[in-house]
Amino acid sequence: MVKRFAVIGHPVAHSLSPRIHAAFGRQTGIALDYTAMDAPSESFDAILAAFAAEGGVGANVTLPHKGRAALACHTLSERARRAGAVNTLIRTATGWEGDNTDGVGLVRDLTERHGLDLRARRTLLIGAGGAARGVAPSLLDAGIGDLYIVNRTPERADALADALAMPGRVHPRYLRDIGSLGTFDLIINATSAARDASLPMLQVALANPRTAAVDLSYGEVAIPFLAWARAAGAHDCIDGLGMLVEQAAESFQRWHGVRPETDEIYETLREHRAELVTAD
Ligand code: NDP
């Protein structure tokens, strides 16, 4: 029987995950059925339970359910526990195991595809939602220098810093004070602000000629931040398409025990990037 997988989110209709996993399946010769399932916040648990009852064996979870998904799991991987957010569900005999492949996906894209050396980079993380929680532990593991976290809701930046438990290295700050934080070698936009055309005000002095500026979004949603980064003189301006493909490959490996090659689907999607809608 063909194994069933899904991406669960809201909205999710534009998700590229079904296309990416279908491509990985063809490449590796693994038959799979991977669909997008729309789940408004109040119905996430019911939709996940129905998916399991119908034989679903694995799922990706996207905005806004990554925190909720962590609560629905029987066990969590170490990286999902540290993130407090789950983007990959694996069906086990006793329930769902939760994993988080966002962080390893981002680090692999930055270091292997874009050839960046992340070590000792003074880093600014804008946002403290599910994606920020997923990537922060992996960035620290990859050897970045001090990590400054700002968020529209400051309590969430504080909570993320507390969860990372590295007070000497991780510093939550107020978004309104961003102009006094100095310059950064790595700036990551992990907000969904541009979705409603309200990117926080960023000073050009945040970037220096070595800065890598990364938006976790892709397609139209990434345009305002990357335009700011170019105007600020950042050395590298990178969107989230590579991370998307790499986190999917890591999920695929968790489910199927095989690591797919990612360059071909990345290049195919890149050719159509202007038409892409961030949905994962
Ligand atoms: P969440 O809903 O969990 O978090 C949203 C974040 O954006 C919060 O920090 C929120 O702040 C902030 N935010 C939202 N609107 C505004 C605004 N108007 N001004 C300032 N801050 C704002 O979403 P995720 O963390 O899951 O996703 C964030 C982005 O990352 C999305 O665009 C998503 O598509 C992308 N992403 C890309 C991935 C990839 O593989 N490329 C993987 C995962 C996510 P507050 O706490 O105050 O609400």
Side-chain angles (χ1 to χ4, degrees):
M1 203 171 80
V2 176
K3 288 184 178 172
R4 285 195 60 197
F5 300 88
V7 56
I8 307 175
H10 182 69
V12 79
H14 293 289
S15 172
L16 294 172
S17 292
R19 190 167 158 191
I20 295 171
H21 282 273
F24 288 162
R26 282 193 299 277
Q27 180 202 120
T28 55
I30 294 172
L32 57 93
D33 172 23
Y34 188 116
T35 53
M37 296 174 67
D38 193 68
S41 290
E42 62 284 2
S43 45
F44 175 79
D45 289 343
I47 285 176
L48 183 61
F51 177 64
E54 289 160 12
V57 295
N60 286 127
V61 181
T62 186
L63 187 141
H65 300 310
K66 289 181 182 180
R68 177 72 229 161
L71 301 176
C73 290
H74 190 255
T75 53
L76 293 175
S77 68
E78 172 63 15
R79 57 194 180 188
R81 191 191 57 70
R82 283 174 76 197
V86 159
N87 80 331
T88 304
L89 292 165
I90 304 125
R91 189 80 194 154
T92 70
T94 47
W96 292 108
E97 180 194 338
D99 197 358
N100 193 312
T101 66
D102 280 340
V104 74
L106 175 65
V107 169
R108 193 165 285 146
D109 181 57
L110 297 183
T111 57
E112 294 182 17
R113 179 166 289 111
H114 295 284
L116 297 184
D117 184 351
L118 298 180
R119 286 172 299 173
R121 284 189 186 242
R122 190 169 189 265
T123 297
L124 176 64
L125 178 61
I126 309 167
R133 297 188 77 93
V135 302
S138 300
L139 290 168
L140 290 163
D141 289 350
I144 60 165
D146 280 2
L147 174 64
Y148 288 78
I149 306 172
V150 295
N151 191 49
R152 178 179 61 179
T153 308
E155 294 78 14
R156 292 182 88 192
D158 290 342
L160 174 52
D162 285 350
L164 293 167
M166 292 184 176
R169 210 172 150 204
V170 176
H171 317 286
R173 292 287 185 268
Y174 288 112
L175 188 54
R176 65 167 183 266
D177 294 339
I178 197 169
S180 62
L181 298 182
T183 178
F184 292 91
D185 310 312
L186 178 62
I187 303 176
I188 298 184
N189 179 27
T191 74
S192 52
R195 287 166 180 264
D196 54 13
S198 53
L199 188 69
M201 178 65 195
L202 302 175
Q203 290 75 12
V204 290
L206 291 169
N208 64 53
R210 177 174 180 254
T211 300
V214 182
D215 197 319
L216 301 192
S217 305
Y218 45 85
E220 276 202 351
V221 178
I223 289 173
F225 176 77
L226 295 181
W228 168 82
R230 263 180 229 107
H235 188 270
D236 303 278
C237 302
I238 298 170
D239 72 9
L241 193 60
M243 170 185 170
L244 175 74
V245 172
E246 296 305 327
Q247 61 79 28
E250 187 76 10
S251 296
F252 192 92
Q253 181 160 30
R254 285 299 324 261
W255 293 327
H256 306 287
V258 179
R259 181 158 190 89
E261 193 279 322
T262 55
D263 285 347
E264 190 179 335
I265 183 72
Y266 173 77
E267 294 302 337
T268 304
L269 295 173
R270 176 61 69 203
E271 281 169 28
H272 299 281
R273 73 177 181 282
E275 302 147 33
L276 300 179
V277 178
T278 302
D280 293 275

